[in-house]
Amino acid sequence: MTDKKLSQDQNFFLRILKKQIFIPISALLVLMLFNLIADPTFFRVELGISSLGYPVLKGNLITILDNASELVILSIGMTLVTAASGGQDISVGATIALAGSVVLRILCGTDTLTDHIHAPIIVAFLACVLVAMLFGAFNGVLVAYFKLQPMVATLILFTAGRSIAAWINNNTLPNNTDPRVGYYGNFFPGIAVPSPILIAILFMIVTALVMRFTKLSLFTQAVGINAESSRLNGINPQLIKFMTYVILGFCVAVAGFIKVSRLSTINYSVIAKDIEMDAILAVALGGNALSGGKFSISSSIVGAYVIQFLTITLYRFEVPAAALPAYKAIVVIILVVLSAPVVRKKFAELKKNFTAKEAN
Amino acid sequence: MKKKLTDSNLLLIITIAVFVVMYSCAVTMLGGGFTKPQTFLNIFNENAALIIISCGMSLVMITGGIDISVGAVTSLVCMCCAVHLDFKGGNVFTSILIALGIGLLFGLVQGFLIAYLEVQPFIVTLAGMFFARGLTTIVNSTQFNVENPQFKALKDTRILIPGIGSYNKKGIFIPAYIEIGVVVALLTVAVLFILLKWFRLGRSFYAVGGNAQSANMLGINVKRTKFFAYLICGFLAGVGGFVYFLHVGSGSPSHASGAEMNAIASSIIGGTMLTGGSGNIIGTLFGVMSLSTIKNIVASLGLDDAWWTNITVAAMICIFIVIQSVVLSRKNKSSH
């Protein structure tokens, strides 16, 4: 009786251990615990006053959730692209610069510095969505129809994207000081939660609904695992691959819009720099195979939050911003080594030997 | 096998032809600086480090992997050597050892993680890139020029090429020169060419990249082969780092930023496929030269903005990719 219960318990733990989301969640928990021990007030959330004079929430937790929003949105699209095409889009940072440039071009007109918007914000947003999806489609066509490796195909936009962004605004750095531009990257008047968090949550809900009510998830997985057999089963693998890139384009547009709205201005060479690396990292930390196939978007999202949590934690320990990557790299290596199949197998063997000994 | 080689040769010929056409167009249409032999040699002087790094990158790409840490390792090597020479009173010889040591260490760890623990190469080398960049700023966060006299003497050493040169405005003959780094770079190309062509290890790189499973069945130690590819790539990043250091003579956290992408682009232009199994070191050399020439042409057209250069480079990568995909599809059709 007790034996049976024990084995059931063991099964339960084993099941959790085998879950893909286990590694990112446990990384997140370890980080939280670490912060809580180092500073018990770490998670305190206070009511502060925003620059516009409204009461808003402030605290480390809010900062982390706020700053992770773009990465979370990107990691959703990146997971799909990775799953379907077995490769990654390294042009997302450059395309964010491009999308942001379009937003400011429309909002600022030809002025470099204005204090009012030249067009409704929704127009600017739609234009930036259109442009980003077009560039996503460009990548998609190269990958799906020309059968290029995703990294090579997106290398083109990676190289040219920021330059095109500069060209869109005649190499000036437009600045729009209209408060309405900043709503989407900071706070809506009267709402205490930073708007990027709200946008990210909305995005996650929409993604969950799409995954629940369409066959996109299943088809993406099928194409990623074996494009040829999915074709024989009546799926159009090229179309699915193409669609994932267009969806990523949409994610990039939203992320770019938030990024621009945060500062109401843009610096082409700096904005969203290296975010493609972080987005790919989020996918990998989520335990998704970078060679495509089975995927879990929720794991990637947790992975994105882990990255941001780690960044803020390191800042709190007064690690200079430029040295940050070194510490990040150590954590990444530990995580990937722990989740490497070879290491996991070794662990399982060790455990088996251990329990066998105990039984004897 | 013969069929495959002809395909890779075709890509190589295309690369060389494009370079020759591009350069001769520049000479005939733009004239000016392009007619001087020194301008041609400056391609090597400026890009010696990139040639070395790209060779390592091609090697890894032939085995079907990727190493994006090379640019950051270059920067780390520069900074460590600079600090060693100026603050710690070291000499040039020990700084060379440091450079090679750093490169080997990165190659060793990354190779072990990728080959034996089977972690995805992109993630391992991404972490390597983060680590090296971060470490560079921890070692020293600002840019500074090296004042060590021994090093400066080595840096300013010019190897004059007899008989080639140009006359300046006063009619004085100025012989053309190359820097020491160029010799190292060309030596690297030669050694790797021989390794890939006639040595067991070199041939197994192709086999592993083409199909790891059948390579395994042929008795090739796939893990060890992959490990060696990353080891050599790391080592070459160390060598390239020192050559870069020799060229710029300073340490800075922002040195060689984006070098990894330039190396990947050069390899692709040179006909190496990211999927592995095919590639050519000579092509990589011409890839670097083409990349540099197109930048020179854009600059001499007066479009000096950085964004024009990037757009033309991107267009060039695009064209080469399309050529490759045409060649590939031709191959696939003929095999069916």
Side-chain angles (χ1 to χ4, degrees):
Chain A
M1 176 77 187
T2 45
D3 254 18
K4 203 173 178 187
K5 194 159 183 269
L6 201 75
S7 74
Q8 255 177 358
D9 276 357
Q10 236 172 8
N11 271 341
F12 177 69
F13 279 118
L14 275 180
R15 267 217 308 279
I16 291 183
L17 263 171
K18 271 184 190 156
K19 273 249 158 69
Q20 199 186 342
I21 206 164
F22 173 73
I23 291 261
I25 287 264
S26 47
L28 199 60
L29 287 179
V30 167
L31 274 173
M32 281 181 173
L33 206 67
F34 183 72
N35 274 309
L36 206 61
I37 292 166
D39 175 12
T41 60
F42 187 83
F43 291 102
R44 185 185 291 168
V45 175
E46 291 167 338
L47 216 56
I49 300 295
S50 77
S51 54
L52 293 174
Y54 298 103
V56 291
L57 291 175
K58 280 194 173 146
N60 287 318
L61 200 60
I62 300 294
T63 314
I64 291 166
L65 290 177
D66 181 13
N67 289 349
S69 305
E70 291 100 317
L71 195 55
V72 165
I73 293 169
L74 280 182
S75 68
I76 293 173
M78 191 66 88
T79 311
L80 284 177
V81 161
T82 302
S85 62
Q88 290 76 37
D89 185 342
I90 56 167
S91 72
V92 286
T95 329
I96 281 182
L98 242 163
S101 195
V102 170
V103 171
L104 280 179
R105 173 78 193 180
I106 289 173
L107 291 182
C108 293
T110 49
D111 306 335
T112 311
L113 179 66
T114 78
D115 55 359
H116 65 282
I117 48 177
H118 285 244
I121 285 180
I122 184 74
V123 174
F125 176 68
L126 288 179
C128 115
V129 165
L130 186 72
V131 169
M133 282 171 93
L134 268 178
F135 278 101
F138 172 74
N139 285 335
V141 166
L142 286 182
V143 171
Y145 296 98
F146 283 83
K147 305 225 167 13
L148 294 178
Q149 303 110 25
M151 239 192 98
V152 179
T154 52
L155 184 65
I156 298 170
L157 267 185
F158 172 87
T159 320
R162 290 175 192 277
S163 301
I164 301 172
W167 173 70
I168 288 175
N169 276 310
N170 293 326
N171 220 0
T172 60
L173 304 178
N175 191 344
N176 196 324
T177 51
D178 191 305
R180 277 172 290 175
V181 179
Y183 286 170
Y184 305 88
N186 303 302
F187 294 95
F188 281 111
I191 297 178
V193 183
S195 7
I197 299 182
L198 298 177
I199 298 175
I201 291 173
L202 187 72
F203 212 92
M204 285 187 236
I205 293 172
V206 170
T207 313
L209 289 178
V210 169
M211 289 299 142
R212 176 74 185 74
F213 290 107
T214 67
K215 295 277 186 294
L216 184 68
S217 163
L218 181 69
F219 286 0
T220 308
Q221 230 165 65
V223 170
I225 291 170
N226 191 334
E228 184 55 26
S229 59
S230 68
R231 190 187 66 80
L232 293 175
N233 280 306
I235 303 172
N236 184 346
Q238 289 168 334
L239 187 68
I240 296 286
K241 280 185 191 173
F242 175 76
M243 266 171 63
T244 56
Y245 279 85
V246 177
I247 292 171
L248 179 60
F250 180 70
C251 299
V252 164
V254 176
F257 187 70
I258 296 174
K259 265 267 189 282
V260 167
S261 176
R262 277 186 199 277
L263 297 172
S264 300
T265 182
I266 190 168
N267 187 344
Y268 312 109
S269 50
V270 178
I271 186 173
K273 195 161 172 40
D274 291 338
I275 204 169
E276 55 272 1
M277 301 300 174
D278 274 346
I280 299 170
L281 202 57
V283 175
L285 286 186
N288 296 297
L290 291 189
S291 47
K294 282 186 85 168
F295 68 95
S296 153
I297 286 183
S298 44
S299 300
S300 297
I301 292 173
V302 178
Y305 281 119
V306 168
I307 293 171
Q308 195 59 41
F309 214 111
L310 184 64
T311 310
I312 299 286
T313 309
L314 289 173
Y315 276 141
R316 282 189 56 84
F317 284 89
E318 279 159 20
V319 172
L324 198 83
Y327 297 92
K328 212 153 121 184
I330 295 172
V331 177
V332 170
I333 285 294
I334 292 173
L335 277 180
V336 292
V337 166
L338 281 183
S339 57
V342 179
V343 180
R344 277 191 156 188
K345 218 191 260 169
K346 276 266 153 63
F347 266 128
E349 271 169 27
L350 272 179
K351 209 172 162 193
K352 215 186 244 170
N353 286 344
F354 185 70
T355 43
K357 258 184 207 159
E358 222 169 42
N360 289 336
Chain B
M1 201 64 209
K2 194 148 199 287
K3 177 94 197 124
K4 189 160 187 177
L5 280 179
T6 44
D7 256 345
S8 126
N9 280 347
L10 182 65
L11 285 178
L12 178 64
I13 290 165
I14 292 172
T15 311
I16 296 175
V18 168
F19 171 74
V20 170
V21 167
M22 205 157 65
Y23 206 86
S24 39
C25 279
V27 169
T28 50
M29 289 177 178
L30 298 167
F34 281 100
T35 53
K36 289 181 190 159
Q38 187 58 53
T39 312
F40 180 74
L41 291 178
N42 272 347
I43 294 180
F44 291 98
N45 288 338
E46 301 281 332
N47 294 301
L50 185 59
I51 291 173
I52 299 173
I53 294 170
S54 303
C55 284
M57 182 70 82
S58 297
L59 213 63
V60 168
M61 277 164 67
I62 287 171
T63 64
I66 196 155
D67 186 346
I68 55 171
S69 71
V70 287
V73 171
T74 301
S75 162
L76 179 65
V77 164
C78 284
M79 186 57 92
C80 287
C81 288
V83 167
H84 178 69
L85 281 175
D86 256 26
F87 299 162
K88 307 272 191 250
N91 62 26
V92 172
F93 180 69
T94 46
S95 69
I96 292 177
L97 286 186
I98 288 179
L100 301 187
I102 292 173
L104 270 180
L105 206 65
F106 267 85
L108 203 74
V109 174
Q110 291 181 161
F112 175 74
L113 289 175
I114 294 165
Y116 291 101
L117 295 190
E118 292 167 21
V119 186
Q120 294 154 355
F122 192 93
I123 293 305
V124 171
T125 54
L126 178 68
M129 174 176 118
F130 282 156
F131 188 68
R133 281 262 175 240
L135 209 58
T136 310
T137 44
I138 292 173
V139 171
N140 194 333
S141 57
T142 50
Q143 174 163 6
F144 69 100
N145 287 336
V146 175
E147 303 295 344
N148 184 312
Q150 201 187 0
F151 172 75
K152 279 190 131 177
L154 189 67
K155 174 176 163 8
D156 293 333
T157 308
R158 303 266 186 267
I159 300 168
L160 301 180
I161 299 187
I164 303 174
S166 56
Y167 292 92
N168 69 1
K169 280 172 192 158
K170 288 176 188 160
I172 301 165
F173 183 75
I174 300 172
Y177 67 87
I178 52 172
E179 289 172 11
I180 294 178
V182 180
V183 180
V184 180
L186 294 180
L187 219 64
T188 309
V189 172
V191 168
L192 285 186
F193 180 74
I194 293 168
L195 174 79
L196 284 178
K197 199 103 189 165
W198 288 296
F199 276 80
R200 205 187 142 96
L201 181 67
R203 299 312 301 169
S204 44
F205 285 145
Y206 285 99
V208 168
N211 189 335
Q213 209 159 15
S214 35
N216 195 21
M217 284 174 179
L218 287 172
I220 294 171
N221 190 333
V222 173
K223 286 181 179 175
R224 202 178 60 195
T225 310
K226 277 189 180 171
F227 175 73
F228 271 118
Y230 287 96
L231 190 66
I232 295 174
C233 184
F235 178 72
L236 288 181
V239 176
F242 193 79
V243 169
Y244 191 94
F245 180 53
L246 212 53
H247 182 67
V248 293
S250 64
S252 157
S254 62
H255 269 342
S257 66
E260 57 277 348
M261 288 305 161
N262 279 334
I264 294 173
S266 307
S267 299
I268 291 169
I269 292 172
T272 308
M273 308 260 177
L274 261 181
T275 39
S278 72
N280 197 311
I281 289 295
I282 304 292
T284 306
L285 174 67
F286 276 93
V288 176
M289 286 158 74
S290 307
L291 212 60
S292 165
T293 306
I294 199 126
K295 282 180 185 168
N296 285 348
I297 291 175
V298 171
S300 71
L301 282 174
L303 306 166
D304 215 6
D305 288 321
W307 42 290
W308 264 113
T309 319
N310 287 341
I311 291 176
T312 25
V313 168
M316 194 165 128
I317 297 171
C318 195
I319 291 167
F320 270 94
I321 287 171
V322 169
I323 292 174
Q324 283 185 6
S325 94
V326 168
V327 169
L328 258 189
S329 63
R330 195 187 60 109
K331 187 175 96 180
N332 285 345
K333 255 180 213 146
S334 62
S335 68
H336 274 302

